[in-house]
Amino acid sequence: LCSGYHSDGSGDMNIAREISGANYLESIKGYTGQGVRAEVCDGGIRATHVDFQANPPIFHPSNSTDTSHGTSVYGIVFGSGTGNANGRGLLPNADQPIFAAYGSLTDRYAHTAELINPSGAYRAVFQTNSWGDTRTYYYTTISADMDDILFHNDILIFQSQSNAGTQDSRPQAWAKNILSVGGWNHYDTLSKTDDCWCTTASIGPASDGRIKPDLSHFYDYTYTTYYSSDTAYANFGGTSGATPITAGYGGLFFQM
């Protein structure tokens, strides 16, 4: 269900923070997620990682032992950069980082309603997902379910498009009310002149002609927290990396 990769070598979140304006916004206003509550929904996270200690996650409802993918996704959004500043996330000072293991989602309607309950423990403004059901080119009942969830719940949900290099995508990404995220290769440089899609991330348009994905970001070389130890970092990518980057910027918009 997950779509991402790890590799050794250089790369950093600093470029992701620089190219889209997070560093500039922090330099002039100090915005790093203060007041923002949001959820990463993924396989599981290494909760003992050094980057997650200063601002620990609240689990909704629980974690999972499958931490290989979610640790990196979560770090892109909420990582503090304590162990390595190049891996600092976009919302290190979020008011409340939330994590949900997708394996524990027995009722996604109820789960989403809990996220936005003004009297509840979470009160989130967005959720980001770098996973989904089997790829398809069509708007399915799963897509329709997501649209229904979003129609009835006032929350922004980000969804990875997937990594097929074709129009085959997660059915959730074809939903009309969801914000779908694609990707392009930046080759670990700040320059845009060498950027290339290069048949990597899944693309649109949807089967009915709608423009998808809605936004896109780095497909490659995103340096972030890694699950192998409490101090590990590694490169991450795919639309699994592009989606939490985009969601992190969504959090900064909410803060503004």
Side-chain angles (χ1 to χ4, degrees):
L1 290 178
C2 296
S3 53
Y5 65 84
H6 290 279
S7 64
D8 296 324
S10 64
D12 53 68
M13 267 297 290
N14 278 352
I15 297 178
R17 292 180 52 84
E18 180 67 22
I19 198 168
S20 298
N23 287 344
Y24 175 73
L25 183 61
E26 182 176 2
S27 71
I28 62 170
K29 287 293 184 181
Y31 287 0
T32 54
Q34 297 92 332
V36 177
R37 291 175 171 236
E39 180 174 88
V40 171
C41 185
D42 210 282
I45 61 171
R46 187 179 183 106
T48 54
H49 197 285
V50 65
D51 258 29
F52 308 155
Q53 302 314 298
N55 195 12
I58 182 172
F59 292 102
H60 177 213
S62 61
N63 198 3
S64 165
T65 57
D66 181 14
T67 62
S68 60
H69 191 266
T71 298
S72 296
V73 174
Y74 184 87
I76 289 172
V77 182
F78 297 124
S80 67
T82 299
N84 190 319
N86 284 337
R88 186 169 180 248
L90 285 155
L91 304 173
N93 294 311
D95 184 58
Q96 183 58 74
I98 308 163
F99 183 82
Y102 62 68
S104 66
L105 300 184
T106 57
D107 185 338
R108 195 159 185 183
Y109 285 83
H111 182 95
T112 308
E114 289 170 358
L115 267 183
I116 63 167
N117 183 347
S119 301
Y122 309 110
R123 304 192 297 281
V125 292
F126 76 77
Q127 180 196 72
T128 184
N129 302 269
S130 292
W131 63 282
D133 287 275
T134 302
R135 291 192 298 242
T136 179
Y137 175 46
Y138 300 101
Y139 185 93
T140 69
T141 56
I142 295 171
S143 314
D145 282 344
M146 284 306 309
D147 273 334
D148 195 43
I149 288 169
L150 283 160
F151 182 80
H152 290 288
N153 295 282
D154 185 17
I155 189 170
L156 177 59
I157 295 185
F158 296 83
Q159 174 64 50
S160 60
Q161 196 76 24
S162 199
N163 304 330
T166 67
Q167 288 165 291
D168 282 340
S169 300
R170 302 297 181 196
Q172 289 89 347
W174 294 130
K176 299 172 184 179
N177 297 329
I178 210 163
L179 199 156
S180 307
V181 182
W184 37 273
N185 298 280
H186 75 295
Y187 300 112
D188 200 26
T189 71
L190 190 59
S191 170
K192 297 180 182 179
T193 60
D194 60 353
D195 294 351
C196 178
W197 165 57
C198 294
T199 322
T200 49
S202 294
I203 57 171
S207 58
D208 60 3
R210 285 177 296 117
I211 299 301
K212 287 285 185 173
D214 300 291
L215 295 172
S216 61
H217 218 289
F218 292 166
Y219 188 90
D220 61 338
Y221 291 106
T222 302
Y223 194 68
T224 183
T225 47
Y226 191 52
Y227 78 103
S228 62
S229 79
D230 288 345
T231 57
Y233 296 80
N235 284 327
F236 188 68
T239 56
S240 285
T243 304
I245 293 173
T246 306
Y249 276 101
L252 291 174
F253 271 96
F254 275 111
Q255 182 175 3
M256 288 189 282

